[in-house]
Amino acid sequence: GENVEQHPSTLSVQEGDSAVIKCTYSDSASNYFPWYKQELGKGPQLIIDIRSNVGEKKDQRIAVTLNKTAKHFSLHITETQPEDSAVYFCAASGPQGGKLIFGQGTELSVKP
Amino acid sequence: GAVVSQHPSRVICKSGTSVKIECRSLDFQATTMFWYRQFPKQSLMLMATSNEGSKATYEQGVEKDKFLINHASLTLSTLTVTSAHPEDSSFYICSARDTGTHQETQYFGPGTRLLVL
């Protein structure tokens, strides 16, 4: 079955710097890759997603890139702010809206 | 749009009792909902896929007789933890897919914190 690896597990940056979180997946049939932000004690919130027919997608300070050949996808956050501090999860799912397989999570800390 | 609610937000119960958690899609219909469990500092683990009008599909290692799932309408799925024990204490989160968009996006609820004493 699908396996998703996420790195790093923790990431600390200064306010205003960029943050990059990387994920790899194992199933080449996976075609949907969402990213979720989870604040302490809350449910995950979808922040951006990408489908396999697209190589890059951007939404203001957040961007996601996908390399299907290498089976990598990454989250890029620019101009980080303290409110970006949270745990971020990547996920992958297969054709026909299969179940999501989550990465291990990255705890991002943005220091003022 | 795409709001999912859960009730209760937190519950404390005695060992051996049963607890029901509700998951509702507030502004869309959801033929398919998912139930996850999350332990502290860990990722989300899928427990089961809930399909409206049919039996849930459980992941390997999840006891279907212990975690009863009912998806009786297009906006409501319930998870009942039967004969709860301290090791069932966890954060339970549901998600739902918008049937109308035919998209695979999952929208998550706020979670339910269960503590079994």
Side-chain angles (χ1 to χ4, degrees), chain A residues 36 38 51 97 99 103, chain B residues 38 43 59 97 103-104 106:
Chain A
Y36 289 89
Q38 186 178 29
R51 291 173 174 82
K99 54 192 178 185
Chain B
Q38 185 179 37
S43 188
E59 294 300 300
R97 280 210 303 250
Q103 294 286 332
E104 61 274 80
Q106 289 186 29

Side-chain angles (χ1 to χ4, degrees), chain A residues 4 11 17-19 27 30 36 38 50 52 55 58 69 71-72 75 87 90 92 95 98-99 112:
Chain A
V4 178
L11 179 59
D17 287 350
S18 295
D27 189 349
S30 291
Y36 289 89
Q38 186 178 29
I50 192 167
S52 59
K58 190 174 182 179
T69 302
K71 290 187 278 188
H72 290 171
L75 177 71
V87 178
C90 64
K99 54 192 178 185

Side-chain angles (χ1 to χ4, degrees), chain A residues 31-32 36 38 41-46 49 51 89 93 96-100 102-104 107, chain B residues 34 36 38 41-44 46 49 59 91 93 97 103-111 113:
Chain A
N31 60 1
Y32 175 64
Y36 289 89
Q38 186 178 29
K42 298 184 178 180
Q45 293 295 309
L46 178 70
D49 57 9
R51 291 173 174 82
F89 290 98
S93 75
Q96 300 173 356
K99 54 192 178 185
L100 285 176
F102 282 84
Q104 295 84 352
E107 184 172 3
Chain B
F34 302 86
Y36 296 82
Q38 185 179 37
K41 300 284 189 182
Q42 293 189 21
S43 188
L44 288 80
L46 179 65
T49 302
E59 294 300 300
F91 193 48
I93 316 172
R97 280 210 303 250
Q103 294 286 332
E104 61 274 80
T105 305
Q106 289 186 29
Y107 300 98
F108 283 81
R113 177 80 56 193

Side-chain angles (χ1 to χ4, degrees), chain A residues 64-110:
Chain A
V64 57
T65 59
L66 171 65
N67 182 330
K68 287 189 295 182
T69 302
K71 290 187 278 188
H72 290 171
F73 58 114
S74 300
L75 177 71
H76 304 252
I77 306 174
T78 59
E79 301 173 28
T80 54
Q81 301 166 3
E83 49 266 39
D84 293 330
S85 297
V87 178
Y88 290 81
F89 290 98
C90 64
S93 75
Q96 300 173 356
K99 54 192 178 185
L100 285 176
I101 304 300
F102 282 84
Q104 295 84 352
T106 296
E107 184 172 3
L108 173 64
S109 175
V110 180

